Amino acid sequence: MRAASPPLETLGPELLSRLPSAIQKPSYDRAALAPGMAHLGVGAFHRCHQAEYTDDLLSHRLDAWGVVGINIRPPRLAETLGSQGGLYTRLIRQDNHVEPRVIGSIARVVDSQDSAAPALDVLSSPEIELVTMTVTEKGYCHIPSSGALDLDHPDIVHDLANPTMPCSVPGILARALELRMASHGRPATLLSCDNIPTNGVILETVVQALASRRNNGLADWIAGNVAFPSAMVDRIAPATTPADIELVARRFGYHDAAVVVGEPFRQWVIEQKFAGRVPRWDLVGASFVGDVTPFEHLKMRVLNGAQTTLATLGVLAGLEHTSDAIADPLLADFVRRMLVDETLPTLMPVPGVAPLAYVEQCLGRLRNTAIRHRNHQIATDGSQKIVQRLLNPIRDRLAKGESIALLSVPVAGWMAYLIQASARFGKRWPVSDPYAGKAADIAEATGRDPEALVAGILAIDTIFDPGLAANRDFRRAVTSALDRLLSDDPMAAVKRSLEQSGSHRLKRPAQSA
Ligand code: CS2
């Protein structure tokens, strides 16, 4: 038996001065940070993205804003980031290259999983001028197909009955704004950093839907004092694994329970619409723009669309990570052709971006073998993602009478992924999606009849708008892809759609001549 090695020292303020010189670390006085902003949802993405931009500002002495990090859902932060004084290691990884940095911008963390009170204390305090959030697509409790607040959502039902003890994100924000209005009245900016289209508009809609039911002037006060800018955020930063924690221990000789790993690329485009002060993230690589829409379409349809495609088809092909899926020549060919032939023509011109080069850059990012992004992680909550990633470009193409031979395949892939997680199809893998139960009920009722399965799923009008669901070309394309994806050779669906779209491509010049 090997002798147990002594426990490693844990990262924290005392260790900072003794860290290996290879590790970049905060050079600024963390004790002097003014915690002027809060962040809801301190997961891997926040720690790899907004917190790093803020750390850049602090390192360049361009600002002195610190972040109060709040979690209203698991995991608890106290035992990890909290016990490390808010410090954590951010590893940028590209194949064999590792670039370590300790980030210091999170000044304090607050756990508010058991009750909203700790979160409300922070969010309603006059010092907090800005709240950023990464609460996942489903955190907004909106109806994906319409963007309206889902009044049947159990958390919203709860918050409507208990407005002072909310549990949903919209409920907590509405209550925090109500407390601000009733106490100091200071304005605030609420900045969504989640991958939903027009995220600022959706956030404003769901908060105002609750506020307008208060009958105390809250909705008007919000309209006059709170800004909801939209933003496009980008950096691939999968959930941390024990191997990441182990890597830091092995290479750098300390324990860090809050390590995060991201790719080199990062981007943040923020709508210039603020109520009061905002950190000058534009000085460290973010852009403040008048309209985020072109950037948001580009990123969600190309990068995220490719990720969802590789994730669901990748699982069906028995592949574990994005990088494994894109290493498969058929899937790589498919995803490039889908993006170039079908997705790119749906995009608006994006200032400073050459579309084809952007596609290649995204595909290159997805090939990064050091980023262990599990296909199942990306396929999680697919019902909340497919509208902006796949259905919106499909809708745009159908409106112009253009082919959707390729884009329809990942939609069927998402259906096959959900259906095959059901008992009726032998629970091939565990799935986490608010619509998993509904898909299982449909599978139970119809069995392996692709037409009936597609009809049942397209009837979910909170995901599929009725116009799209009724489109015969769409229905036919998804049904034929699903039929093949459920067979013993799911990749036949991918091959077949490439052949079909190839013949369509050949025919097109003749037709337009
Ligand atoms: C991923 C995103 O899990 C997912 O849904 O597609 O988290 C993706 O990695 C980021 O949007 C990249 O910026």
Side-chain angles (χ1 to χ4, degrees):
M1 217 172 76
R2 259 182 30 204
S5 33
L8 293 175
E9 201 172 341
T10 297
L11 178 63
E14 312 74 45
L15 192 62
L16 270 189
S17 59
R18 287 180 285 117
L19 286 176
S21 59
I23 304 182
Q24 191 189 331
K25 57 190 180 222
S27 55
Y28 49 89
D29 178 10
R30 295 185 70 233
L33 295 185
M37 65 179 137
H39 182 85
L40 273 184
V42 187
F45 188 77
H46 172 65
R47 303 209 290 277
C48 253
H49 193 271
Q50 302 92 39
E52 184 191 278
Y53 278 90
T54 301
D55 196 68
D56 284 348
L57 275 182
L58 296 170
S59 302
H60 292 104
R61 310 284 189 279
L62 293 170
D63 240 322
W65 296 56
V67 181
V68 181
I70 305 171
N71 269 9
I72 60 165
R73 301 278 180 262
R76 287 179 56 78
L77 295 167
E79 290 81 23
T80 55
L81 264 186
S83 67
Q84 298 179 182
L87 295 169
Y88 63 95
T89 316
R90 187 284 277 127
L91 301 177
I92 292 302
R93 298 196 59 182
Q94 174 73 49
D95 303 320
N96 294 324
H97 174 75
V98 179
E99 182 222 296
R101 168 164 160 191
V102 168
I103 305 280
S105 54
I106 301 184
R108 184 161 79 86
V109 293
V110 172
D111 279 308
S112 198
Q113 294 88 349
D114 304 334
S115 124
L120 291 172
D121 273 355
V122 175
L123 299 175
S124 63
S125 81
E127 294 80 48
I128 297 297
E129 299 177 56
L130 172 97
V131 183
T132 54
M133 68 202 74
T134 45
V135 293
T136 79
E137 292 86 347
K138 67 174 177 236
Y140 294 79
C141 305
H142 66 299
I143 298 172
S145 61
S146 70
L149 181 67
D150 181 359
L151 294 168
D152 296 327
H153 190 296
D155 292 352
I156 298 301
V157 171
H158 171 275
D159 290 1
L160 286 168
N162 307 277
T164 60
M165 280 183 296
C167 65
S168 71
V169 172
I172 289 174
L173 291 173
R175 178 61 182 158
L177 295 174
E178 188 168 42
L179 292 169
R180 292 179 81 92
M181 172 180 84
S183 49
H184 49 83
R186 294 194 62 185
T189 298
L190 303 188
L191 175 56
S192 165
C193 299
D194 282 291
N195 287 317
I196 47 175
T198 62
N199 50 14
V201 176
I202 290 189
L203 180 61
E204 180 169 13
T205 306
V206 295
V207 169
Q208 283 289 37
L210 292 177
S212 60
R213 285 172 168 75
R214 296 285 220 272
N215 298 321
N216 61 358
L218 180 59
D220 287 343
W221 185 83
I222 292 176
N225 294 280
V226 183
F228 298 87
S230 287
M232 179 269 251
V233 290
D234 197 2
R235 173 168 261 172
I236 300 175
T240 301
T241 65
D244 302 327
I245 296 176
E246 175 57 27
L247 178 76
V248 169
R250 215 177 45 242
R251 285 228 188 162
F252 306 115
Y254 62 89
H255 173 73
D256 178 354
V259 178
V260 283
V261 176
E263 59 166 344
F265 183 93
R266 69 171 194 182
Q267 193 177 10
W268 196 3
V269 183
I270 306 168
E271 184 184 6
Q272 190 146 23
K273 184 168 104 180
F274 309 122
R277 295 191 310 151
V278 160
R280 293 295 309 274
W281 291 307
D282 57 318
L283 299 177
V284 289
S287 318
F288 291 162
V289 302
D291 184 9
V292 174
T293 319
F295 297 93
E296 157 193 307
H297 283 193
L298 176 76
K299 191 262 176 168
M300 288 185 203
R301 295 180 183 194
V302 176
L303 180 84
N304 291 147
Q307 287 178 302
T308 290
T309 301
L310 291 166
T312 47
L313 299 179
V315 169
L316 301 181
L319 301 165
E320 180 74 8
H321 301 102
T322 305
S323 55
D324 303 322
I326 201 163
D328 178 277
L330 177 64
L331 287 179
D333 187 26
F334 176 81
V335 82
R336 176 181 279 107
R337 288 265 304 274
M338 179 186 92
L339 296 175
V340 172
D341 290 1
E342 297 192 1
T343 307
L344 285 191
T346 72
L347 299 174
M348 337 176 171
V350 187
V353 176
L356 281 173
Y358 182 84
V359 167
E360 290 310 320
Q361 182 186 38
C362 287
L363 296 176
R365 292 167 59 193
L366 299 174
R367 281 193 290 266
N368 183 347
T369 51
I371 298 295
R372 314 287 287 162
H373 209 174
R374 294 188 64 238
N375 289 327
H376 279 294
Q377 186 190 345
I378 298 169
T380 295
D381 293 340
S383 62
Q384 314 290 303
K385 299 175 179 172
I386 62 162
V387 171
Q388 56 274 32
R389 298 180 183 200
L390 301 167
L391 301 182
N392 286 346
I394 286 179
R395 188 205 51 212
D396 290 355
R397 290 185 66 81
L398 288 172
K400 291 197 199 146
E402 292 169 343
S403 162
I404 52 154
L406 302 176
L407 278 165
S408 51
V409 176
V411 176
W414 164 75
M415 291 180 184
Y417 177 79
L418 274 189
I419 291 165
Q420 295 190 81
S422 70
R424 180 73 170 75
F425 282 76
K427 288 197 183 170
R428 293 190 57 195
W429 38 73
V431 69
S432 169
D433 190 301
Y435 285 83
K438 178 102 186 147
D441 291 347
I442 294 169
E444 194 55 51
T446 61
R448 201 202 170 289
D449 171 351
E451 228 162 282
L453 282 167
V454 168
I457 296 176
L458 293 188
I460 307 175
D461 62 3
T462 44
I463 302 177
F464 296 93
D465 80 60
L468 178 60
N471 185 294
R472 284 175 44 200
D473 290 340
F474 176 58
R475 197 173 271 251
R476 204 180 303 122
V478 173
T479 306
S480 103
L482 181 63
D483 189 21
R484 290 193 172 80
L485 288 174
L486 292 176
S487 75
D488 292 340
D489 179 14
M491 291 306 105
V494 178
K495 279 194 211 108
R496 171 104 175 109
S497 65
L498 280 175
E499 284 156 16
Q500 271 178 340
S501 109
S503 58
H504 178 86
R505 202 154 54 156
L506 290 177
K507 265 190 266 149
R508 217 185 298 154
Q511 282 170 345
S512 57

